[in-house]
């Protein structure tokens, strides 16, 4: 079931953080993540210029630190594959250890990042930063489920919301747009299975939903 289509170079420093000590010395990369972070913080509605820059720098540092972790992982995995070309099981075992260590690093980084945001922003503003880092997939998908199945109960809505928020929390740390979307895809599968078990015919619900969408579009014209 497909709900919709997801649709000056700066070297920044963050007070109290060693983030940029490890950041790639690639000015183009810094420019990209700075521009991305500007858009995200703007989307959160932060008007105060001092607060804006402070939060923007926190977001930039997070992207930079995640990139450092994932680049290191990629290098280690390539080394393992080069050194063990004829021992796939052995290589996979070593790669699994690398991935386990990466997951631990990312978890620590995630906790630190959210704590920094919480010190500067309200809960609603932090939510908007999270949505900005994940292409607003959570609110779009949550709205889509409610529109697709108007009969959802309060308990069912809470279940859906909880799983989508969990997906968002994981997607924040994903290394690419594709992997961010994959987290939501994983939890959408869980949601669809849950709704099927609740008695909904998901194929029928989807077909009826598409009909209603077309009718709305026709009415506007």
């Amino acid at each position: 079931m497909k709900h919709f289509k997801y649709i000056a170079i700066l070297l920044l420093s963050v007070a109290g953080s060693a983030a940029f000590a490890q950041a790639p010395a690639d000015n183009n990369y810094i420019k990209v993540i700075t521009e991305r972070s500007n858009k995200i913080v703007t989307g959160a509605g932060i008007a105060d210029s001092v607060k804006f820059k402070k939060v923007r720098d926190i977001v930039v540092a997070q992207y930079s630190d995640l990139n450092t972790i994932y680049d290191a992982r990629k290098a280690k995995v390539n080394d393992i594959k080069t050194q063990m070309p004829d021992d796939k099981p052995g290589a996979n075992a070593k790669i699994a250890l690398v991935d386990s260590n990466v997951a631990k690093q990312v978890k620590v980084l995630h906790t630190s990042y959210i704590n920094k945001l919480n010190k500067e922003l309200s809960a609603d503003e932090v939510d908007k930063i999270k949505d900005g880092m994940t292409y607003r997939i959570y609110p779009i998908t949550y709205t889509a489920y409610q529109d697709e199945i108007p009969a959802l109960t309060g308990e069912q809505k809470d279940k859906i919301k909880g799983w989508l928020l969990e997906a968002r929390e994981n997607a924040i740390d994903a290394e690419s747009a594709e992997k961010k979307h994959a987290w939501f895809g994983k939890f959408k599968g869980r949601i669809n299975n849950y709704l099927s078990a609740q008695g909904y015919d998901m194929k029928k619900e989807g077909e009826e939903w598409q009909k209603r969408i077309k009718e709305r579009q026709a009415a506007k014209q």
Side-chain angles (χ1 to χ4, degrees), residues 135-151:
Y135 316 113
R136 299 194 73 254
I137 301 172
Y138 152 63
I140 292 170
T141 305
Y142 184 52
T143 298
Y145 270 114
Q146 294 178 85
D147 191 39
E148 181 183 8
I149 311 176

Side-chain angles (χ1 to χ4, degrees), residues 142 153-164 191 194:
Y142 184 52
T153 67
E155 181 180 354
Q156 290 164 348
K157 289 178 185 178
D158 287 344
K159 282 276 190 181
I160 293 169
K161 183 176 183 179
W163 276 321
L164 290 174
I191 291 167
Y194 163 74

Side-chain angles (χ1 to χ4, degrees), residues 12-221:
L12 303 173
S13 61
V14 179
S17 170
F20 283 94
Q22 299 177 359
D26 182 343
N27 286 348
N28 287 329
Y29 170 77
I30 297 299
K31 180 181 179 181
V32 168
I33 62 174
T34 300
E35 290 176 348
R36 184 188 306 163
S37 300
N38 270 325
K39 290 178 182 178
I40 290 169
V41 180
T42 298
I46 300 169
D48 180 84
S49 60
V50 174
K51 186 177 181 180
F52 183 100
K53 185 180 183 301
K54 190 169 185 179
V55 174
R56 189 273 312 279
D57 288 358
I58 291 171
V59 178
V60 172
Q62 178 69 2
Y63 276 122
S64 180
D65 285 349
L66 285 170
N67 187 70
T68 298
I69 291 172
Y70 289 125
D71 275 356
R73 180 214 177 261
K74 190 181 299 182
K76 289 175 183 177
V77 169
N78 286 338
D79 285 344
I80 291 169
K81 289 181 178 179
T82 299
Q83 294 167 11
M84 305 174 70
D86 301 320
D87 183 6
K88 192 171 181 180
N92 287 340
K94 285 196 171 186
I95 290 171
L97 285 175
V98 171
D99 286 341
S100 177
N101 287 329
V102 166
K104 291 175 183 177
Q105 287 179 280
V106 170
K107 184 176 181 179
V108 170
L109 185 63
H110 179 93
T111 300
S112 174
Y113 174 60
I114 300 304
N115 286 340
K116 289 174 184 176
L117 291 179
N118 284 332
K119 287 179 182 178
E120 303 296 333
L121 303 172
S122 67
D124 182 62
E125 289 170 332
V126 172
D127 264 350
K128 289 177 180 176
I129 294 291
K130 291 179 178 181
D131 284 336
M133 293 183 74
T134 53
Y135 316 113
R136 299 194 73 254
I137 301 172
Y138 152 63
I140 292 170
T141 305
Y142 184 52
T143 298
Y145 270 114
Q146 294 178 85
D147 191 39
E148 181 183 8
I149 311 176
L152 286 172
T153 67
E155 181 180 354
Q156 290 164 348
K157 289 178 185 178
D158 287 344
K159 282 276 190 181
I160 293 169
K161 183 176 183 179
W163 276 321
L164 290 174
L165 287 174
E166 188 176 347
R168 185 183 69 177
E169 211 66 19
N170 284 285
I172 288 170
D173 303 321
E175 63 186 296
S176 66
E178 181 182 2
K179 291 187 177 181
K180 288 178 187 290
H181 286 299
W183 272 110
F184 284 95
K186 175 182 177 180
F187 279 85
K188 279 179 65 180
R190 184 179 297 182
I191 291 167
N192 291 342
N193 289 339
Y194 163 74
L195 292 174
S196 294
Q198 291 285 299
Y200 294 104
D201 183 333
M202 297 306 291
K203 182 179 179 181
K204 182 179 178 182
E205 294 290 350
E207 290 172 349
E208 292 298 320
W209 184 42
Q210 291 303 315
K211 287 180 183 178
R212 293 197 301 274
I213 290 174
K214 290 178 181 179
E215 288 171 357
R216 289 174 199 161
Q217 293 172 342
K220 288 180 181 178
Q221 295 173 357

